[in-house]
Amino acid sequence: MLVIWCNATLPPEARARLVALTRGHRVVVPRASGEGDAELAGADVAFGQPAPVHLLAPTGPRWVHLSSAGYTPYDRPDVRAAFAARGAALTKSSRVHDAPCAEHALAFVLAHARRLPEAFANQHGARAWPQHALRARARLLEGQTLVLVGFGSIARRLVQLLAPFAVNVVGVRQRVAGDEPVPTFAWGSPEATRALAAADFVVDLLPGAASTRHAFDAAAFGGLKPGAVFVNIGRGSTVDQAALVESLAAGRLAAAYLDVTDPEPLPPEHPLWTTPNCFVSPHAAGGTADEGERLVSHFLENLARFESGRPLVDRVY
């Protein structure tokens, strides 16, 4: 029997399914945030978002499955060393979140190309009929250049979604693996710089980390061509938001579509809310109505692999 510690945020139906389909094992659910640490130390498996500081002990879960696609809080030397010392594994839930994140990014790109924000603003404002003006500014994605910065599972899914639109897609990442389905260049290389300078759309998919902090700063925005559109589905910390506001206010960027900010929640008085042509969704890209069910399904698939000694899906280390 395995002891499964779970603080994943799940609706009642999904939690009931988790308990029902793990019979033979004991599921421990903390009553409140910060509780259940003693049970975590004695658990074989953790599912959710355990505090990294509670994973440093010599004894602890042999496998931690995160309910998020991001794993930045766990990507630190002391946590990695503790996992290595006890032969533990860390997995994440990219398979659950990559498709909705990719669709959210595509929705941002299509909304801009078809001038939907302007149409909706008119509906809630003057209620005029700017038919000719919107038609004159609308464009097809065909032939446009879109650069994906950061190339994980979200980028791969977005490449698939963009294929029917005949978009020129280019990847930029810190280390090129060679198996990317589109031309991909290393961040900071001359090829990457040229690709970004030619981009009609730049989609930031970078994870939060010390190495990616303010990757998009004043110099990076200055290197984009006038009229480019910036989309951020990665992490707010990857953007120098003051530089972004300045680029939008000066009209160098045509628009910014942000699902992530720094901080979150974004304070009501923050200038991003009122900067012209800046559109914010509240870190909702990875969500779906059945997210809880999908998280449980992904965990249960990995649990079966863990029990049988097969390779885990979405393994970080």
Side-chain angles (χ1 to χ4, degrees), residues 187-255:
W187 175 266
S189 68
E191 296 85 356
T193 300
R194 286 194 292 270
L196 287 163
D200 299 290
F201 296 91
V202 175
V203 181
D204 178 359
L205 299 170
L206 292 170
S211 61
T212 62
R213 180 167 178 77
H214 289 187
F216 283 95
D217 56 12
F221 287 125
L224 304 182
K225 74 178 183 181
V229 175
F230 179 72
V231 175
N232 192 2
I233 305 288
R235 286 293 182 266
S237 62
T238 66
V239 177
D240 180 341
Q241 293 177 156
L244 175 60
V245 168
E246 197 277 329
S247 293
L248 287 167
R252 290 193 296 274
L253 285 177

Side-chain angles (χ1 to χ4, degrees), residues 164-187:
F165 295 97
V167 182
N168 175 32
V169 182
V170 179
V172 172
R173 66 188 312 185
Q174 290 184 312
R175 290 179 295 276
V176 179
D179 63 350
E180 297 86 358
V182 296
T184 303
F185 308 109
W187 175 266

Side-chain angles (χ1 to χ4, degrees), residues 245 248-249 266-280:
V245 168
L248 287 167
L266 192 64
E269 67 279 4
H270 197 283
L272 284 175
W273 288 116
T274 54
T275 297
N277 298 315
C278 185
F279 306 97
V280 180

Side-chain angles (χ1 to χ4, degrees), residues 102-128:
E103 291 186 16
H104 203 91
L106 177 60
F108 276 160
V109 170
L110 283 170
H112 184 82
R114 304 312 306 164
R115 320 311 298 184
L116 296 187
E118 294 170 58
F120 297 153
N122 173 68
Q123 178 183 355
H124 295 287
R127 296 184 185 174

Side-chain angles (χ1 to χ4, degrees), residues 12-26:
E13 299 82 0
R15 188 172 297 279
R17 179 167 170 252
L18 172 67
V19 173
L21 294 180
T22 52
R23 295 203 183 281
H25 302 309
R26 183 164 72 92

